[in-house]
Amino acid sequence: MGTEPNTKVVREAGIEMKGKFVKVDSQMRTNIEGIFACGEITPGHRHLTTSASEGASAGMAASEYLALEIVKKGEIFEGARNGKYADEFLAVLG
């Protein structure tokens, strides 16, 4: 906490920055599909509770992203029961 993040690798990867920080949307997504960021590397409040909350948001968004990618391939991902999650994600695909 309270340190300035090293963003060299992030910049080299082409991830969009907002000043000294990684630019993210409300789901902690970066400009590169499938890449999420949270905590002190993103702009906003510099508090442990905020970073933990952002981590939870990024984790959920990443989980949903990965599940949708599997469903797009016509597969059922581990943990899905009776097609429940597949049905929900297929509704998103239309």
Side-chain angles (χ1 to χ4, degrees):
M1 292 297 299
T3 61
E4 187 172 315
N6 181 345
T7 58
K8 180 182 178 192
V9 172
V10 173
R11 291 176 190 276
E12 290 173 354
I15 296 174
E16 189 176 347
M17 304 293 291
K18 183 176 184 178
K20 299 185 294 184
F21 303 100
V22 174
K23 183 178 178 183
V24 293
D25 66 10
S26 63
Q27 291 185 304
M28 312 313 291
R29 295 178 294 202
T30 68
N31 64 302
I32 298 179
E33 185 176 342
I35 304 293
F36 301 80
C38 60
E40 290 205 356
I41 201 165
T42 61
H45 298 287
R46 320 300 289 159
H47 300 285
L48 180 60
T49 53
T50 303
S51 293
S53 173
E54 289 177 355
S57 294
M60 288 300 298
S63 177
E64 290 171 3
Y65 169 82
L66 292 171
L68 185 56
E69 291 300 305
I70 290 170
V71 171
K72 283 179 183 176
K73 295 178 187 176
E75 302 171 9
I76 301 297
F77 55 93
E78 194 67 32
R81 296 183 184 265
N82 299 320
K84 176 185 182 297
Y85 295 115
D87 291 345
E88 291 172 4
F89 285 107
L90 287 173
V92 171
L93 293 174

